Amino acid sequence: MATVMDGKVYGDDKRDEKTLASPEIGRSAEIGIFKDGMRVYPEATADPLDPLNWPRWRKHAILAIVMYLYFMFTFITTTTVPSFPQLQEQLGISYSQVNWTVAIPALGLAIGPLFWSSLADIYGRRIIFLTGTLIAFAATIGAGAANKYGGYMAARFFQGFGVSPGATVGMAVVMDIYFDYERGQKLGLWVLALDTGLLVGPIVGGFMDLVSADWIQWLMAIMFGVLLILELVFMPETLYPRTYMLARMPVESVAGTDIEKLHERKGDESEVELKRTTKLMALNFRRVPGLRHPRPWDSVGRFILTFKYPVVVISVLTYCFTWYWWVLSIITMIPAAYVQYSPHIQGLLFIGLLLGTLFSEVFASGKLSDYIVAKLAKKNNGVKSPERRLWLAYPAALLSAVGAGIQMGNTAMVSYLVDSYPLQSMSIITYYAVFLNLSAFANPVCSLLSDQEMERQADTNSNTVFHRAMAGYVWLHLDIRCARDHYLFRIGAHHSGIASLGRFFESNGRPAGMGKS
């Protein structure tokens, strides 16, 4: 897979830049691979080692591992919430301090993507997954054994830092192994892992707290150990030198190839001696060959440059600092608001949101988004428009209170941004992951204000204060989200606006002809 930085596509060396302009590559790009009469991306090769050509079982196994790690992304932050009273007693801290035990791993989750993203484009996805999981595994053991607040907080930070590749690198893996027409459903499943981890965490943590607060950490250590084994056995390298291999093993065709017949046109992997994907060492600490690599700190520069895309800034900041902040605030305030219930009963309060999230993924999320895009593209002369992804944002804003909107809205936003800026997808998700977790890191400020409010209103039932606060979050979420969607709608989601938005995207990184047949 080529690395794109500052509008330039990098191959493995100068010869690749010349090869890209060769008649053979031009002919291959003109022919392309098609699905239902529309060109699909990325451009596949005839190489059996190309991740796009791998059998479905292998792709699904890799996706399951990516989802597992992304599930742990939020699971580690919320599963300890039911044990807040026990942690207060065990560590000798206040309720405000115990709230920071959720914020600190979120800080690790925010810093991690800036560190791991470029390294994943240099050394590959597999070694980053393994390293991150190993760090999280060791940190979880440390958290389980810690008996002081400082040691516990340090372990929690590295838990978040270790699991953070599940965001940016996990999304990159999905992009490595699936075509664009599959993207909505697969990204929907990837997002589902994040959302379910957030809601399953308090449920599981409540029951584990019946044993002890420490056993919440020991359970997570077991889960990270299982994940590490799965990564070692079932997750090959997916970073692929596509530009290099398209010059050497293009799909042979004279009239276009249907995606269903692609497996019939595979070549011999031995035609090219370059080591790639499954032929790399099991523990590869060298740069993946066949690519020109970014510098390790380039992900920070790309993160800063992302601020110049107003659509990304509006979508991500609104989502992170309204919906996500609101849900996390509910989770962290539950122990104080419902002190009359035991921790496992408090965890059961999240079952409704969880069921709504699962219902949304099955009936009204990724697959529905793909269907809408494909259906409307046929009516638009085969031109796929990312703005079609936004149709799901409107019902999502209305259904968030029952859980279904959580998954629907998250999928709509992520797939819309990735489709809008496919060449900057890693930068976009890095931006999203950083601010998603910065909002969680800032969450204890809200909890501190809620504590002060409860103290001032000692004669008022704590549930009343809790419900007032959450009602404010709900209305703020709906008002700002609808305002954002209205803004996006106005700048080009419909009719004549599509042309102007298309020109805007064209000048900001979308490849010419993207989505046209």
Side-chain angles (χ1 to χ4, degrees):
M1 178 178 181
T3 300
V4 181
M5 293 172 52
D6 302 326
K8 299 179 182 179
V9 180
Y10 296 97
D12 62 325
D13 53 32
K14 293 296 181 182
R15 290 177 300 169
D16 280 338
E17 296 176 13
K18 297 178 180 179
T19 307
L20 282 173
S22 68
E24 288 78 8
I25 295 303
R27 180 174 62 83
S28 176
E30 181 180 355
I31 294 169
I33 308 298
F34 292 84
K35 168 75 173 177
D36 297 329
M38 290 183 287
R39 188 190 302 274
V40 301
Y41 294 89
E43 187 79 15
T45 68
D47 183 12
L49 300 180
D50 184 345
L52 293 175
N53 294 331
W54 287 346
R56 285 189 176 274
W57 70 265
R58 170 170 280 179
K59 291 185 178 183
H60 293 342
I62 295 171
L63 178 62
I65 292 172
V66 170
M67 290 175 62
Y68 192 156
L69 184 60
Y70 208 32
F71 172 88
M72 299 300 294
F73 192 91
T74 48
F75 185 82
I76 64 166
T77 62
T78 61
T79 191
T80 60
V81 171
S83 66
F84 274 8
Q86 288 75 18
L87 286 175
Q88 285 181 255
E89 181 180 351
Q90 179 180 325
L91 301 175
I93 56 178
S94 67
Y95 185 76
S96 297
Q97 286 177 304
V98 82
N99 263 296
W100 285 102
T101 65
V102 172
I104 287 299
L107 180 63
L109 290 167
I111 295 174
L114 298 174
F115 179 81
W116 298 116
S117 297
S118 290
L119 295 179
D121 285 336
I122 298 172
Y123 301 103
R125 324 299 194 201
R126 174 182 163 89
I127 193 63
I128 299 302
F129 260 61
L130 290 171
T131 303
T133 302
L134 188 60
I135 291 173
F137 176 67
T140 303
I141 294 175
N147 53 16
K148 293 185 178 180
Y149 186 58
Y152 183 80
M153 293 291 273
R156 291 285 281 165
F157 172 83
F158 283 103
Q159 271 185 318
F161 184 77
V163 82
S164 62
T168 52
V169 184
M171 189 278 301
V173 172
V174 174
M175 303 288 281
D176 288 341
I177 64 178
Y178 290 108
F179 290 102
D180 63 338
Y181 71 90
E182 304 170 290
R183 187 174 297 153
Q185 182 195 27
K186 307 311 177 188
L187 288 178
L189 291 171
W190 176 70
V191 168
L192 176 66
L194 176 78
D195 292 341
T196 53
L198 185 72
L199 301 174
V200 169
I203 299 174
V204 174
F207 283 95
M208 292 306 300
D209 187 65
L210 293 175
V211 182
S212 73
D214 292 339
W215 254 101
I216 294 176
Q217 298 296 334
W218 299 133
L219 173 65
M220 287 194 287
I222 293 171
M223 295 173 71
F224 278 122
V226 171
L227 176 60
L228 188 61
I229 294 172
L230 292 175
E231 290 171 352
L232 285 168
V233 177
F234 295 107
M235 187 173 185
E237 180 55 60
T238 64
L239 180 61
Y240 183 73
R242 188 161 306 281
T243 301
Y244 183 96
M245 294 305 298
L246 278 171
R248 292 154 178 81
M249 295 187 69
V251 174
E252 295 296 332
S253 176
V254 294
T257 300
D258 189 90
I259 192 71
E260 304 299 335
K261 298 180 179 180
L262 185 60
H263 68 281
E264 300 176 1
R265 299 179 178 274
K266 291 181 183 178
D268 185 354
E269 63 188 55
S270 62
E271 292 179 20
V272 178
E273 295 183 359
L274 182 77
K275 289 186 177 181
R276 54 201 184 276
T277 60
T278 57
K279 296 300 181 181
L280 292 170
M281 295 178 62
L283 295 176
N284 179 54
F285 296 101
R286 297 181 178 180
R287 294 169 178 250
V288 174
L291 295 163
R292 175 176 268 179
H293 306 95
R295 294 165 298 184
W297 54 87
D298 279 341
S299 55
V300 178
R302 292 199 298 262
F303 169 79
I304 295 172
L305 289 175
T306 305
F307 280 96
K308 73 179 183 180
Y309 301 129
V311 171
V312 178
V313 175
I314 292 171
S315 300
V316 170
L317 295 188
T318 301
Y319 176 81
C320 293
F321 286 96
T322 56
W323 173 86
Y324 188 72
W325 198 8
W326 167 67
V327 171
L328 197 60
S329 295
I330 292 178
I331 293 173
T332 56
M333 290 171 70
I334 284 289
Y338 295 97
V339 292
Q340 69 272 32
Y341 296 120
S342 61
H344 67 283
I345 297 299
Q346 291 177 5
L348 294 176
L349 296 175
F350 294 94
I351 288 181
L353 285 172
L354 177 61
L355 293 177
T357 298
L358 296 175
F359 176 87
S360 173
E361 176 55 34
V362 174
F363 296 103
S365 193
K367 207 154 190 175
L368 178 60
S369 178
D370 286 340
Y371 173 80
I372 292 173
V373 171
K375 193 75 173 176
L376 295 178
K378 290 182 179 180
K379 295 181 179 181
N380 194 32
N381 298 320
V383 178
K384 296 179 182 179
S385 173
E387 291 67 52
R388 306 305 187 190
R389 301 283 189 188
L390 293 177
W391 280 109
L392 289 181
Y394 299 99
L398 299 176
L399 295 175
S400 287
V402 294
I406 294 175
Q407 174 66 13
M408 194 186 305
N410 204 350
T411 299
M413 188 198 69
V414 171
S415 57
Y416 165 66
L417 291 176
V418 171
D419 278 4
S420 297
Y421 301 98
L423 298 183
Q424 290 85 14
S425 56
M426 180 72 90
S427 300
I428 298 300
I429 298 301
T430 299
Y431 189 88
Y432 165 74
V434 168
F435 278 105
L436 184 78
N437 291 287
L438 283 180
S439 70
F441 178 69
N443 182 265
V445 176
C446 172
S447 298
L448 179 60
L449 295 176
S450 297
D451 287 348
Q452 294 172 349
E453 176 72 8
M454 289 179 183
E455 291 173 1
R456 285 196 302 266
Q457 300 190 29
D459 59 332
T460 303
N461 186 286
S462 62
N463 289 347
T464 303
V465 177
F466 172 75
H467 292 148
R468 288 176 185 172
M470 289 307 99
Y473 274 113
V474 171
W475 285 112
L476 179 65
H477 165 64
L478 290 176
D479 290 346
I480 297 182
R481 187 170 197 159
C482 289
R484 180 207 71 188
D485 291 341
H486 179 65
Y487 169 78
L488 294 177
F489 182 84
R490 289 182 59 193
I491 66 173
H494 266 285
H495 307 302
S496 61
I498 292 177
S500 62
L501 189 60
R503 288 192 293 272
F504 173 79
F505 285 148
E506 196 80 47
S507 64
N508 284 277
R510 179 185 294 177
M514 182 67 180
K516 298 180 181 179
S517 59

